[in-house]
Amino acid sequence: MLSNDSNDKAAARDKFLIPVLAAYYFLHYCTLGIIYPYFGFYFKQSGYTGTEIGIFLSILPIVSFTCTSLWADIFTRVKRRRLFMVTGIIVSSFALVPIYFINNKPLTAVLLAVFALSRTGILPVIDSFASSLNDRIPYGRMRIFGSAGFIVTSVATGFFFDSFGAGAFILLYTVFSLLSAVPALLADYDTGIFKPRGRDEKKLSPQLKIFFAGVTIYLSSYAFLSNFFNIKVAEAGFGQTYAGYMWTTGVLAEMFFMYNQERVLKAMRVEYIMIFSMLLGGVRYFATAVTDSLFLLFFFSAFHGFAYGTFHISIMKFFRTKLPEGLRLRAQTIYSGVGYGLGTVAGSFVSGLVFDHMGLKPVFFTAFFFCVAGASVIYWYMGIEEKNGSKQG
């Protein structure tokens, strides 16, 4: 009887959490739809060079790389996790506001660090939470609300940028970021997945270190896209509203895959899906380098959506099915902190240098080679795993 009561309570809690987490995904990715495509363009409009854009935008992933795991460890140990989460959201919501009013580069660097530090562990926690509910609702179908949020703001920000200038960028981010505090406040974080873990439970095997190296190499290519794609659109002769529509095209493709994730995930080994998505992303970068056609830029934007959707969902399944529970939050923070952190640092720095010294087209050719290199490392990881499996057999 007690067991049935516990199961009923867990089911009721999960039923409540699903719309709460979906709402958080929608609002959080609304903020990403503002930041991810437009931050580099915002700095260019403010008079920054390509190298300076790379340096300033690398502050965000540097903080992510160095602090995400620490943020998550503190989160699992504090008693008032809800307060900890909401405080981070509120601080990050207002951290960018002074940048618009004060054109001071050292202060901008400090504010970017505060912004990144206050929010760096939020999404890994939410992703771990959502993935744990996969038996009740597929992770991709919950995460699709985030894609919808990205569409809303990537289009709206392009329109507001063209119509009202740079101030709209800061205002839109602040509003949507504050709204995301509401579902974060409603969630219950007192679950077993956030139980504090000892060092031995969180230790990575040598094979997993190779795996994350491949992931990091690939994710570094995202910085090339986020920092310079909108500049590519402008140099091709189109306004930022068109750039917003192109980002939307990619996200619609991503949403289509996420809704149908189970069919693809059952079709082949999860590591092969990762490799496929990496190479698909490389095709998008190569095409972006060689064409200024509006139609082709739209068409290949869909490639990025499929590439991102397949890669992210396959990563989440990899964590959920191939790692012990004690290692999953650790893996999630590494994916965010090292992959999106260290990878983006390298990508931002390299892309800025390439842009300043070689021009825009080589930026996307370089991103293509990063995709191929990342896929090669994952294939190497698969070979090591198969050899270890045969030895154990």
Side-chain angles (χ1 to χ4, degrees), residues 78-89:
V78 296
K79 293 182 179 180
R80 297 183 178 181
R81 294 172 181 167
R82 185 182 287 112
L83 177 62
F84 186 83
M85 176 78 75
V86 172
T87 300
I89 293 172

Side-chain angles (χ1 to χ4, degrees), residues 31-45:
T31 68
L32 295 188
I34 299 164
I35 294 171
Y36 188 76
Y38 294 100
F39 227 155
F41 187 76
Y42 172 82
F43 280 127
K44 187 173 187 296
Q45 292 293 94

Side-chain angles (χ1 to χ4, degrees), residues 28 35 39 56-75 84-93 95-96 108-125 173 336-337 341:
H28 178 82
I35 294 171
F39 227 155
F56 274 84
L57 292 185
S58 69
I59 292 173
L60 311 181
I62 286 172
V63 172
S64 180
F65 170 57
T66 56
C67 300
T68 300
S69 292
L70 176 62
W71 196 104
D73 284 343
I74 295 173
F75 174 82
F84 186 83
M85 176 78 75
V86 172
T87 300
I89 293 172
I90 292 174
V91 171
S92 70
S93 298
L96 299 182
T108 296
V110 172
L111 291 170
L112 288 173
V114 171
F115 161 78
L117 181 61
S118 57
R119 66 183 277 142
T120 187
I122 294 174
L123 190 58
V125 166
Y173 164 74
S336 180

Side-chain angles (χ1 to χ4, degrees), residues 167-234:
F169 169 82
I170 301 294
L171 177 62
L172 284 172
Y173 164 74
T174 302
V175 169
F176 280 102
S177 182
L178 286 172
L179 288 174
S180 71
V182 177
L185 188 63
L186 295 174
D188 178 10
Y189 304 101
D190 293 326
T191 69
I193 60 173
F194 299 130
K195 176 185 175 181
R197 308 285 178 176
R199 288 187 177 182
D200 290 341
E201 288 184 273
K202 297 186 294 183
K203 189 175 180 180
L204 296 183
S205 67
Q207 299 96 293
L208 278 177
K209 291 179 181 179
I210 293 173
F211 172 83
F212 278 112
V215 168
T216 301
I217 292 169
Y218 170 65
L219 291 179
S220 66
S221 71
Y222 285 13
F224 290 71
L225 187 71
S226 62
N227 292 1
F228 291 100
F229 181 69
N230 283 44
I231 297 172
K232 164 73 179 186
V233 172

Side-chain angles (χ1 to χ4, degrees), residues 234-388:
E235 291 199 2
F238 308 109
Q240 291 304 294
T241 302
Y242 280 106
Y245 291 147
M246 290 177 197
W247 285 101
T248 298
T249 300
V251 177
L252 286 173
E254 171 193 323
M255 292 173 70
F256 175 82
F257 169 76
M258 286 188 170
Y259 187 81
N260 296 283
Q261 70 171 74
E262 294 304 314
R263 295 179 183 178
V264 178
L265 291 176
K266 291 177 181 178
M268 66 177 75
R269 181 174 169 178
V270 68
E271 291 92 340
Y272 281 125
I273 299 175
M274 293 179 200
I275 291 172
F276 170 77
S277 67
M278 290 175 170
L279 297 178
L280 194 64
V283 171
R284 188 268 170 94
Y285 294 131
F286 191 91
T288 301
V290 300
T291 185
D292 287 336
S293 164
L294 182 62
F295 171 78
L296 290 177
L297 287 172
F298 268 102
F299 178 77
F300 283 104
S301 289
F303 275 56
H304 181 74
F306 279 116
Y308 178 80
T310 53
F311 184 78
H312 186 66
I313 293 296
S314 61
I315 281 282
M316 298 303 293
K317 182 178 180 180
F318 181 87
F319 293 160
R320 186 174 66 251
T321 61
K322 298 199 172 186
L323 299 182
E325 185 181 58
L327 191 56
R328 289 174 195 167
L329 180 58
R330 168 68 170 164
Q332 195 70 53
T333 58
I334 293 173
Y335 173 52
S336 180
V338 178
Y340 287 97
L342 180 61
T344 306
V345 171
S348 292
F349 180 73
V350 173
S351 64
L353 288 177
V354 172
F355 178 75
D356 278 346
H357 295 286
M358 301 176 67
L360 188 59
K361 186 179 291 188
V363 166
F364 295 101
F365 282 136
T366 307
F368 164 78
F369 287 113
F370 274 57
C371 292
V372 174
S376 300
V377 174
I378 297 298
Y379 187 75
W380 178 32
Y381 160 80
M382 291 175 63
I384 294 173
E385 281 291 283
E386 288 172 358
K387 286 182 180 178
N388 287 343

Side-chain angles (χ1 to χ4, degrees), residues 131-154:
S131 186
S132 71
L133 303 177
N134 191 77
D135 291 339
R136 298 191 183 276
I137 179 173
Y139 167 81
R141 294 192 180 182
M142 196 183 311
R143 171 60 178 72
I144 203 171
F145 288 94
S147 301
F150 192 98
I151 287 175
V152 169
T153 52
S154 63

